[in-house]
Amino acid sequence: MATSEKMTCVSILICDEVYRDERTKKLVVVGTFNQFNAPQLPCKLPRMTVLFTLTNGRGTYDLRLSIEYETTGQAVVEIAGPFRIDDPLQIFDSNVYLIDVPFFDEGKYWVVLSADGEILGQRPFWVKKATQ
C-alpha cells in the first residue's frame, strides 16, 4: 500500500511472555531467548512471543511477520495483515503470540518483519537438539 513515510523497526525480541503492568502501563518481558533446545526433531514449540517496536510510519502498511529456516529460506510460520500508523512520532510496541511453532531441523532461524514487501528488521535464533 502506498505510504508517505518509511516505517522503522527499532527492536525485535523473542521471549516466552509479554505483560502490561496495569499500574505503570509498562511492558514486562519474561524469558527472552536466542536458542531453543528441542527434546526431539521435528517438534513444535508450544508458545513463542515476538515483541517488536515500530516508529516513523504514516499510513497503512501490509505487515508480515515470519519465522524462516535459514538453510532453505522456507517460512515455518507466517502471519500478515494491515497495520496503520497515523503519526510518525508515535512509537508502537506490538507483541505476537505464536502457538505450536513447527521446527523440522536444527539450525539457524530468523524472525523477519517486513512492510509492503521490504524487510524492516530481522533477528536470528538457533534451534538445537537437546543433549541427554
Side-chain angles (χ1 to χ4, degrees):
M1 297 180 179
T3 57
S4 60
E5 302 283 339
K6 182 178 172 162
M7 191 162 44
T8 304
C9 179
V10 178
S11 66
I12 298 175
L13 290 175
I14 305 166
C15 59
D16 295 328
E17 296 281 345
V18 175
Y19 302 98
R20 184 166 303 276
D21 180 285
E22 290 304 315
R23 185 177 58 80
T24 65
K25 304 302 182 206
K26 293 179 181 179
L27 293 178
V28 178
V29 179
V30 179
T32 62
F33 62 92
N34 297 310
Q35 180 174 306
F36 167 60
N37 295 315
Q40 63 184 27
L41 289 165
C43 73
K44 289 185 179 180
L45 182 59
R47 184 175 176 115
M48 174 178 173
T49 303
V50 177
L51 171 66
F52 58 88
T53 304
L54 300 173
T55 191
N56 292 342
R58 180 184 300 250
T60 302
Y61 301 83
D62 289 321
L63 201 63
R64 176 182 173 263
L65 178 74
S66 61
I67 308 293
E68 300 176 6
Y69 184 40
E70 183 177 74
T71 302
T72 64
Q74 178 184 12
V76 297
V77 169
E78 179 178 276
I79 58 172
F83 179 81
R84 179 164 183 80
I85 288 185
D86 294 318
D87 180 353
L89 299 178
Q90 180 181 5
I91 299 171
F92 186 83
D93 293 315
S94 182
N95 50 294
V96 177
Y97 295 105
L98 303 171
I99 305 297
D100 290 333
V101 180
F103 295 105
F104 301 99
D105 293 299
E106 286 187 297
K108 192 177 196 178
Y109 288 78
W110 290 88
V111 174
V112 181
L113 183 67
S114 60
D116 297 337
E118 181 178 331
I119 293 175
L120 298 177
Q122 50 190 356
R123 180 184 182 109
F125 69 99
W126 291 89
V127 173
K128 295 189 177 184
K129 188 169 182 190
T131 57
Q132 302 284 326

